[in-house]
Amino acid sequence: MPNDQNKLTNGLTVVDLSLQKVEFCTASIGAIVVFFMMLAGAAEIFLRSLFNSPIPGYLEAVEISIVAFAVLPISYCYQRDGHLKMDLIVRRSSGRRMWIYKTFATATALAFILFILPYVFDFYRNSLVLGDSTMNMEWPIWPSKLAAVVGLSVFAMRLAIELVASLRMLAVPNATEIALPKQADPLKEAID
């Protein structure tokens, strides 16, 4: 049994570290999109105010890019215990009870993501096949729908890893926590 635990621990560690690299990449893409949209927004304000000449298609570019910076970083934020969940009950519990709550919450979230993911993929596929585009500039919309598929798929992988890690902690509550979001201490964050 201890050998099986070591294999599980090592496997979880490898998969978690690999997924963290993917999460960093998707979050970086989202950050780059936000940066360029910020520059475009400043240019839009400058050109509109001084020269009465707005950037053509600016609003459509914003609409298309929102998905990239809203969905792509979700898994990264979740893994870092960002503001994606409400865990008042979990924080007030400990031991097996806490791991029961965490396992249930993770399983529920994973079930929801796996439920909606095929529909999100269908929206992407339909947009690609039909040539869906924006109204004025006729820019293709499929890249933003692909970003939703990628972001939710990475998030589903994060939740699946966390579910396995939570089940491991449920079985052995005194084991070292791996492949789980790093819980921040609200008091420490307030002081920092």
Side-chain angles (χ1 to χ4, degrees):
M1 185 72 168
N3 194 20
D4 290 340
Q5 281 291 331
N6 288 339
K7 286 181 184 177
L8 179 61
T9 301
N10 293 338
L12 273 174
T13 302
V14 168
V15 172
D16 180 48
L17 292 175
S18 299
L19 186 59
Q20 283 183 29
K21 292 175 185 175
V22 174
E23 290 168 330
F24 181 78
C25 289
T26 56
S28 296
I29 292 168
I32 290 167
V33 170
V34 168
F35 178 74
F36 281 111
M37 291 314 299
M38 178 192 67
L39 291 178
E44 168 74 12
I45 292 168
F46 179 75
L47 291 172
R48 185 180 291 271
S49 299
L50 294 181
F51 302 108
N52 196 23
S53 178
I55 297 173
Y58 171 72
L59 290 177
E60 290 178 337
V62 170
E63 290 171 356
I64 291 172
S65 67
I66 285 174
V67 175
F69 59 80
V71 179
L72 285 177
I74 284 178
S75 186
Y76 180 84
C77 185
Y78 182 83
Q79 196 272 335
R80 298 280 190 264
D81 200 36
H83 302 281
L84 288 173
K85 56 188 174 193
M86 296 174 39
D87 56 359
L88 295 173
I89 295 172
V90 173
R91 287 188 190 263
R92 293 183 182 183
S93 58
S94 60
R96 284 195 198 277
R97 179 176 292 176
M98 178 183 69
W99 292 112
I100 289 170
Y101 293 149
K102 284 187 174 191
T103 303
F104 176 75
T106 303
T108 303
L110 180 59
F112 177 74
I113 295 297
L114 291 177
F115 175 75
I116 66 169
L117 199 52
Y119 298 103
V120 174
F121 182 78
D122 283 344
F123 289 138
Y124 155 70
R125 189 185 64 223
N126 289 340
S127 178
L128 183 63
V129 170
L130 299 175
D132 198 5
S133 65
T134 59
M135 290 286 260
N136 296 328
M137 300 303 288
E138 296 185 359
W139 289 337
I141 296 177
W142 69 263
S144 65
K145 294 184 179 185
L146 178 60
V149 171
V150 170
L152 291 175
S153 296
V154 172
F155 190 39
M157 287 185 275
R158 168 57 54 200
L159 290 171
I161 291 169
E162 183 182 337
L163 182 60
V164 172
S166 294
L167 289 168
R168 175 183 166 267
M169 293 303 295
L170 186 59
V172 186
N174 59 353
T176 304
E177 290 185 29
I178 55 167
L180 293 164
K182 314 294 186 263
Q183 282 195 337
D185 182 12
L187 184 58
K188 185 179 178 192
E189 284 184 359
I191 292 171
D192 292 341

